[in-house]
Amino acid sequence: MSRTLIAIDDPDDPRIAAYRDIRERDLVGRQGRFVAEGRVVLNVLFSTSRFAAESVFLRQNRVAGLGELIDRIPAEVPVYVAGAEVMDRIAGFEMHRGVLAIGRKPETDGAALLDALPPSALVVALSGIANHDNMGSIFRNAASFGADAVLMTGDCCDPLYRKAIRVSVGAALKVPFARFDDADALAEALEARGFSLLALSPRGARDVADIAPAERQALLLGSEGHGLSAAVMERLPTARIAMTEDFDSLNVAAASAIALHRLWRAGR
Amino acid sequence: MSRTLIAIDDPDDPRIAAYRDIRERDLVGRQGRFVAEGRVVLNVLFSTSRFAAESVFLRQNRVAGLGELIDRIPAEVPVYVAGAEVMDRIAGFEMHRGVLAIGRKPETDGAALLDALPPSALVVALSGIANHDNMGSIFRNAASFGADAVLMTGDCCDPLYRKAIRVSVGAALKVPFARFDDADALAEALEARGFSLLALSPRGARDVADIAPAERQALLLGSEGHGLSAAVMERLPTARIAMTEDFDSLNVAAASAIALHRLWRAGR
């Protein structure tokens, strides 16, 4: 390993200011930046991610085991290293993993993203997904089943929130995504480009296991509780996941796994 | 609503001792008790749960909206009520939901549970699932797809841990479960009762979507990372979930959703 590592001894060092009080900043936002954490996520960041990194911050005792990852970090990205005590003081809590990076997140234009998709494409469309666990899980499933993009309404939570990235095991850095004002704008943009939309709902008309996906297929998922608006549901073909009738219903991330698996497998 | 509610004004009232320092007790265990929280979970506790409740504890401003739930609580179960400030002081943090119950959890004997299953049955078997989110999600999926029981190795985490119950939306209170020493003991107990075991793994031999479930079918899921032991994998039929090759792999809960959906639907 020939990489130069920059030792940080002072918790107030301005070079690692972006890592300060990580949890508190999760709440107020980071103005165009995101925090990636953990070896697996950083491996995505430095291989198949569509985002650039600004810096990496490692705990001293993790460095020896991360040679392969460190070799992947571009030369222009500084790699800072600190002992556990200094790192915990900077982050504001105990950083068990001790593997962090800051990335830049330019907004993606939805129309441009859609225009760049191949003729045969599978797209996930999200309306009102407010929970970071669900968001991260949906991205992980989208990556596992080769979705080309994730589109979302403006009221969805940020897929680049620290926890969402972690739950997605990096898929949020890989699968392109963009926001639209609302579900109607999103549906119109997809339909204008020849996508067939299928809205998943416990009250859907057809069993998703019977659906033959279109060449350009979009799967629309609504938030739990509220689900999709009546107006959207009325206009679109709908599908349900068959299940027992005596229990609540599936979590939206679990539903996405089942539906994406089906659409991906049937579309091959 | 004719129910008598017991007002709690003193955070040190011994009648609500079981609700004290809820988070800290999550870590040390509760000696045969569990905490259920939220309206949906308490509805399960007082309808289809297999466990008895010891008491209920509600925040004053939630009472008006919970008439239907309160009507379900057996007369012998005391219902305590407190203002937000008293409740937060008792619990040790801000109880956003303000809907809690304490239940009793007797251990279930694995052999007795298996002996009581119907001739046609679907069972989930877990090895080394240590994450409470995954455990809760797997129970939710098990309930959604009518699994008759969940069996687990001794190293699995507790499905009645507060967060696991919450993530399961109460399924952990409903679907019977029991522990076995290890995966071998678990597999033997199932095979002795005529169950076909199918081990799910990224390296599984057959596509799970092609599996026709047996009359008595068990789906064996291992922890992420470690997966199932080589010895178990060698002895059992294995299945995989088809997915793209260029991303990590599915979360074990998402995998359980896809596999259980398939086995349940194909078995009807």
Side-chain angles (χ1 to χ4, degrees), chain B residues 100-183:
Chain B
L100 292 164
I102 301 286
R104 275 188 298 272
K105 50 171 181 179
E107 281 286 311
T108 303
D109 179 67
L113 171 56
L114 283 176
D115 288 339
L117 292 178
S120 174
L122 175 60
V123 163
V124 181
L126 305 177
S127 172
I129 303 293
N131 176 288
H132 290 107
D133 279 291
N134 286 337
M135 183 60 83
S137 297
I138 290 169
F139 267 86
R140 184 171 179 178
N141 297 334
S144 294
F145 297 115
D148 295 281
V150 176
L151 308 179
M152 59 190 76
T153 53
D155 59 350
C156 285
C157 66
D158 187 359
L160 298 182
Y161 186 86
R162 187 168 61 95
K163 191 181 185 190
I165 297 176
R166 192 176 69 215
V167 171
S168 83
V169 291
L173 305 179
K174 186 187 176 197
V175 182
F177 65 86
R179 285 180 190 274
F180 289 79
D181 284 343
D182 54 35

Side-chain angles (χ1 to χ4, degrees), chain A residues 200-223:
Chain A
L200 199 66
S201 158
R203 305 169 303 286
R206 297 177 59 195
D207 186 335
V208 73
D210 297 328
I211 302 278
E215 189 70 11
R216 310 199 102 189
Q217 181 69 54
L219 177 71
L220 183 53
L221 300 164
S223 65

